[in-house]
Every structure is written in structure tokens, then in C-alpha cells.
């Protein structure tokens, strides 16, 4: 079993770039099934979620290969095979291949996706949306069996602006006959990235990035070449490291507007934040002030940044209140941070934090991806050694995390069977 071993207490200083966006890549790696032409994707992150998604695509007959860091994909031969549950259950975006399969081959059988440690994560919006586009979908023995001889445009309204359902429906509707309008659509940058990818393949989409998206169906999509934008959530995590005592971190190659909510809250907590056309710099020397945060759909404060920011707020002067409105149980970091000396408690949908002057290193366990990121930040801030178990969660979304942190002057190692090994051996 691998653990991350962190020696805390060192300031992080310097500039780094982050890899391509996990969530944009995963959405695009479902939409590739819509095209019959060759596709080339640049800047796809080398993370386990992407590798698992590619394994899933292979079960449908898609061919892909990496060449000099870019991903070459051929979806011209597509088979509506039933993938094994092991490839679908743990990865939520596996489910987003259902619509593209229906659009291309008219039927699909897919095991139901599982819940996870941050909440139940139902797929009802996806199912209702696909039904409106003309699909018949039934649940039989834990598998969704779907058919759609022909998909047609429809008016779709989501009760909540779900990122995944917006991406799934928008992609599927590109090959439906007629016009689809998605109301109360998610406005996340990853929705915009997917729309840009689909448009590059010949899709007709208007309004991506607003709450109403209009898609005019086309008969077929072509191949294209596309660059995945930088991961705003990895970027946000490293910017938070700029709030460690004495630290000064710049993340470049990003769009500062995607960091607006985080940057605003860091400013409120007293951090010194500056930005340019494609970079953001966070410096701090002292103790943050306690603040209130409420997670919201984009452009509100991202739920994915809630856990990493909570970790930093454990060391703030005064109290903080973190209200999680997106997921019912994204609180797996709380008890682990308390093991390190934090004073946090969960009350309903809120995490109440009483700031403490110091954290102490301790053996802790990641319960999910962003809880893992929170523990890494806490470990970097704490006195002494922190070891983090369940590194596989962190590997789902952070490429080269040890290299990046070491480059900034932090001390972090991946340790397997009692010995350290370099990250390059992981590839
Ligand atoms: N929801 C439903 N029914 C649905 C779909 C969603 O009730 O059919 C609910 C969810 O349970 C949740 C809310 O709507 O309470 C928002 O979920 P959303 O669909 O927006 O989330 P998602 O698409 O499943 C993506 C990211 C998450 C990120 C959320 C919110 C990917 C692969 N995942 O999930 O990322 O937290 O949007 O922005 O894109 C992460 O990166 O750590 C992560 C979990």
C-alpha cells in the first residue's frame, strides 16, 4: 500500500502550471463516441480517472493511443457492448456514454453507477432528459437498458443546474433531429470546454456558459483536434498552498476568471492575491481570518474547493462556517483534520471550524479526492510528519502532485512498502 509522507512546516514558493482539466477531459471522453472521424486531444491529464475512462471506451470498440503526450482516438467502429460493472460503478462519468451510444447506435446497456463518499449522486436528471429526447430506458437487475431508434430535439429543464446532466444532454442532442433547449443549465467552464469541443466537430451549440443552451442537431460529427484547458480545481488547490505561512505561489496558464470565487474569499480571509492575464498569485504571511463560505453551482464557490479551503481555515484566527449545499456528505476530511488537532464539527449541512494556531502531523486517510487534497494542504501546514493513506483517491484528479509540491519547496514523498520511490516510476 502506498502512502504520501509529508514533512510539514516549510513555506511553498514559486510558479507552476497545472495539467489539463479532469472534469473537462472526462466529459469529452464520453462525447468522442459521437464522432466517426479521427480525434486528437492535447493536454489530457495522466490521472487514473482518465485511464479508467479509456478502458471503458475500449469495451465499446474505440481505438486510442498516446503519442508524445497527445491522445489519438478513433471511434469509427462502435459496438454497443455491455461494459463490466467494475468499469462503470466507481466512475460517475461512465454513465455519460449512455446518450452518445443511443445517438450513434440506437441502444445501450449500462450498469447503474454507484454512489460515493460525498453523497448519493443520483442520475434522474440524465434519465429524464434522455427520455425527453426520445429514449426508452428501463432499469433491469441493476443495469439501464436503453433504446432509441431516433432521437429528437426537446425542451429540457433541470431542477438543479447539474454539470454532468448538462454535459450529457448537450452532447447527446448534437445528433438529435431538430432543436433542443436546456433550461437551468450548468454554467461550469467544463460545460463550455465540452461545447467548444463539440463545435469543433461540427455541432451547432449556442449559449454554453449561460443558463440556457440551444443545440441544433446535425446528421453527423467529424473528427477534430482539441486542447483540454487547464484544470481550475488543481489550480485552486495550489493557490490555497499560497496561504501557508510565508508562502508565495503563482499558478500560470490559467484563466483568472475561473478562480474568481476562491480569490475573493481568500482576499476576505486576508491573503494578498494578484492576477494577470493568465496567472494568479497568492501570498500570505501571518494567520488567515475566519470566514463564511457557501458552496454553489458555478460561478458560485465550487464544492470541490470546499474541503481544501476548510483545511486552511482550521488555522485561521477566529471561527469559520462552511455551508455545503451541493453534496449531502462531503465531510470526510473533518474527522481526519481533527486527528491533526483541528477543531471542526459537522452540523447539518454546515462545517463549523474554530481556528487553532497549529496542526500536528498525524497518520490520516483520504475518503475521497478533494478530502485527500485537503489533507495534503493540512500536512504541509502541520508540524512534523503526516502520512496519508488511500492515495488512489488523490491520483484520480491530481497529476504529478509530489513533483509540483517539491518544486515549490515542500517535502512530500510517495512511500511504498516502507521505501520511497520516485513519481516517474508511477507512469
Ligand atoms: N443531481 C441530481 N440528479 C442528477 C444529477 C445531479 O440530483 O441526475 C444532483 C447531485 O446529487 C448533486 C447536484 O445535483 O447534489 C450537482 O451534481 P452535478 O451533476 O452538477 O455533479 P456531477 O456532474 O456529477 C461534477 C464534477 C464534480 C463536481 C460537480 C459539481 C465531474 C466528473 N465531476 O459532478 O467533481 O463536484 O460537478 O461541480 O465532472 C471532483 O472533481 O472532485 C468532483 C466530484
Amino acid at each position: 500500500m502506498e502512502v504520501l509522507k509529508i514533512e510539514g512546516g516549510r513555506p511553498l514558493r514559486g510558479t507552476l502550471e497545472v495539467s489539463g482539466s479532469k472534469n473537462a477531459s472526462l466529459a469529452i471522453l464520453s462525447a468522442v463516441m459521437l464522432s466517426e472521424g479521427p480525434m486528437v486531444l492535447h493536454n489530457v491529464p495522466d490521472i487514473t480517472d482518465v485511464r479508467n475512462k479509456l478502458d471503458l471506451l475500449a469495451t465499446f470498440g474505440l481505438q486510442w493511443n498516446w503519442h508524445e503526450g497527445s491522445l489519438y482516438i478513433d471511434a469509427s467502429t462502435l459496438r454497443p457492448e455491455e461494459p463490466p460493472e467494475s468499469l462503470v460503478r466507481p466512475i460517475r462519468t461512465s454513465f455519460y456514454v449512455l446518450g452518445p451510444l443511443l445517438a450513434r447506435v440506437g441502444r445501450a446497456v449500462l450498469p447503474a453507477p454507484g454512489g460515493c463518499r460525498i453523497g448519493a449522486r443520483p442520475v434522474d436528471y440524465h434519465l429524464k432528459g434522455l427520455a425527453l429526447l426520445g429514449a426508452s430506458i428501463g432499469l433491469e437487475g441493476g443495469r439501464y437498458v436503453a433504446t432509441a431508434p431516433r432521437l429528437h430535439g426537446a425542451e429540457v429543464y433541470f431542477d438543479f443546474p447539474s454539470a454532468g446532466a448538462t454535459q450529457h444532454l448537450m452532447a447527446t442532442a448534437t445528433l438529435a433531429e431538430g432543436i433542443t433547449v436546456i433550461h437551468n443549465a450548468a454554467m461550469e467552464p467544463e460545460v463550455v470546454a465540452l461545447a467548444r469541443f463539440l463545435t469543433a466537430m461540427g455541432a451547432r451549440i449556442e449559449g454554453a456558459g449561460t443558463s440556457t443552451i440551444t443545440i441544433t442537431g446535425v446528421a453527423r460529427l467529424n473528427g477534430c483536434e482539441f486542447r483540454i484547458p487547464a484544470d481550475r480545481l488543481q489550480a485552486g488547490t495550489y493557490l490555497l498552498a499560497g496561504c501557508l505561512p510565508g508562502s508565495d505561489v503563482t499558478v500560470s496558464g490559467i484563466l483568472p476568471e475561473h478562480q474568481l470565487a476562491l480569490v475573493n474569499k481568500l482576499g476576505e480571509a486576508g491573503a494578498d492575491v494578484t492576477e494577470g492575464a493568465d496567472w494568479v498569485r497568492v501570498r500570505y504571511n501571518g494567520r488567515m481570518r475566519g470566514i463564511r463560505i457557501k458552496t454553489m453551482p458555478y460561478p458560485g464557490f465550487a464544492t470541490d474547493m470546499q474541503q481544501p479551503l476548510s483545511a486552511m481555515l482550521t488555522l485561521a484566527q477566529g471561527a469559520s462556517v462552511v455551508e455545503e449545499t451541493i453534496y449531502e456528505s462531503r465531510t470526510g476530511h473533518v474527522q481526519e483534520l481533527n486527528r491533526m488537532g483541528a477543531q471542526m464539527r459537522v452540523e447539518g449541512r454546515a462545517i463549523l471550524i474554530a481556528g487553532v494556531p497549529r496542526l500536528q502531523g498525524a497518520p490520516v486517510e483520504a475518503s475521497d479526492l478533494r478530502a485527500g487534497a485537503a489533507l495534503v494542504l493540512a500536512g504541509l501546514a502541520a508540524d512534523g510528519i503526516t502520512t496519508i493513506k488511500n492515495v488512489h483517491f488523490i491520483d484520480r484528479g491530481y497529476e504529478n502532485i509530489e513533483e509540483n509540491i517539491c518544486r515549490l519547496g515542500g517535502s512530500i514523498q510517495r512511500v511504498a512498502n516502507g521505501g520511497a520511490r520516485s513519481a516517474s516510476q508511477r507512469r
Side-chain angles (χ1 to χ4, degrees):
M1 188 183 61
E2 291 183 331
V3 298
L4 284 178
K5 184 176 167 197
I6 300 174
E7 199 183 317
R10 303 184 185 195
L12 264 57
R13 305 176 77 85
T15 300
L16 85 163
E17 285 192 11
V18 290
S19 66
S21 159
K22 165 178 85 79
N23 291 346
S25 299
L26 293 173
I28 286 170
L29 287 175
S30 297
V32 293
M33 300 181 83
L34 294 161
S35 169
E36 290 163 48
M39 286 154 282
V40 188
L41 297 176
H42 305 292
N43 207 31
V44 178
D46 181 15
I47 50 177
T48 49
D49 268 18
V50 163
R51 287 183 229 160
N52 288 339
K53 191 73 183 263
L54 290 171
D55 288 344
L56 175 73
L57 294 183
T59 66
F60 300 114
L62 266 82
Q63 317 238 325
W64 50 266
N65 68 290
W66 292 96
H67 181 64
E68 294 181 354
S70 295
L71 189 55
Y72 290 72
I73 301 175
D74 176 357
S76 53
T77 50
L78 192 62
R79 298 188 304 262
E81 300 285 333
E82 180 179 347
E85 196 175 314
S86 59
L87 281 178
V88 176
R89 212 173 146 81
I91 314 163
R92 182 161 172 88
T93 63
S94 302
F95 192 68
Y96 309 170
V97 300
L98 192 68
L101 271 173
L102 288 175
R104 274 284 298 279
V105 291
R107 64 195 177 90
V109 181
L110 211 59
C116 69
R117 298 277 296 270
I118 61 176
R121 307 188 78 182
V123 288
D124 51 333
Y125 304 162
H126 300 246
L127 297 174
K128 281 183 206 158
L130 291 174
L132 286 169
L133 295 187
S136 307
I137 308 174
L139 187 60
E140 295 171 15
R143 305 136 70 232
Y144 285 104
V145 180
T147 52
R150 226 184 61 194
L151 293 172
H152 53 73
E155 295 271 332
V156 180
Y157 167 78
F158 293 134
D159 292 331
F160 183 90
S162 154
T166 301
Q167 289 166 329
H168 192 178
L169 265 283
M170 179 174 76
T172 306
T174 59
L175 290 184
E177 202 175 305
I179 295 178
T180 298
V181 184
I182 304 177
H183 299 276
N184 201 21
M187 300 192 279
E188 263 75 356
E190 294 75 24
V191 172
V192 178
L194 174 63
R196 282 180 39 230
F197 170 72
L198 292 164
T199 305
M201 295 202 295
R204 293 177 58 198
I205 300 172
E206 281 169 34
T210 74
S211 60
T212 307
I213 304 178
T214 305
I215 305 113
T216 305
V218 296
R220 50 171 290 154
L221 294 177
N222 312 309
C224 75
E225 191 166 348
F226 187 79
R227 186 175 173 82
I228 306 287
D231 192 307
R232 68 187 167 104
L233 303 168
Q234 282 189 57
T237 306
Y238 291 113
L239 288 174
L240 278 166
C243 297
L244 295 165
S247 296
D248 181 348
V249 174
T250 301
V251 181
S252 61
I254 57 171
L255 276 180
E257 70 192 62
H258 292 168
Q259 303 299 329
L260 198 91
L262 178 68
V263 156
N264 209 280
K265 290 316 257 184
L266 291 183
E268 201 179 313
D272 178 4
V273 188
T274 45
E275 59 186 53
D278 70 345
W279 55 267
V280 178
R281 177 181 186 183
V282 177
R283 281 178 285 186
Y284 210 62
N285 211 351
R287 248 182 113 185
M288 292 168 82
R289 290 191 288 272
I291 50 172
R292 292 187 76 94
I293 310 161
K294 185 172 178 175
T295 63
M296 310 264 280
Y298 188 85
F301 189 89
T303 168
D304 310 285
M305 286 292 99
Q306 175 266 106
Q307 292 159 299
L309 179 55
S310 299
M312 300 309 295
L313 291 175
T314 61
L315 288 165
Q317 210 145 24
S320 297
V321 180
V322 176
E323 206 183 326
E324 172 58 68
T325 72
I326 312 287
Y327 294 113
E328 62 272 25
S329 51
R330 205 167 201 179
T331 53
H333 55 309
V334 170
Q335 68 171 22
E336 300 304 300
L337 290 171
N338 283 347
R339 284 172 65 92
M340 299 176 71
Q343 289 193 13
M344 310 170 82
R345 70 170 199 275
V346 179
E347 264 190 24
R349 281 293 185 90
I351 301 169
L352 309 181
I353 307 171
V356 293
R358 313 192 79 81
L359 293 177
Q360 300 125 36
V364 288
E365 284 184 25
S367 55
D368 60 87
L369 168 59
R370 307 295 168 191
L375 294 176
V376 170
L377 288 172
L380 291 167
D383 297 333
I385 305 282
T386 296
T387 49
I388 305 176
K389 280 192 195 163
N390 292 344
V391 184
H392 61 94
F393 282 124
I394 300 173
D395 292 337
R396 288 184 69 165
Y398 289 86
E399 190 183 58
N400 298 334
I401 189 161
E402 300 107 278
E403 289 91 327
N404 285 339
I405 289 173
C406 289
R407 200 174 308 139
L408 294 173
S411 170
I412 180 169
Q413 280 183 310
R414 185 175 295 251
V415 181
N417 301 325
R421 62 177 191 161
S422 73
S424 57
Q425 285 173 281
R426 281 197 286 136
R427 294 264 167 114

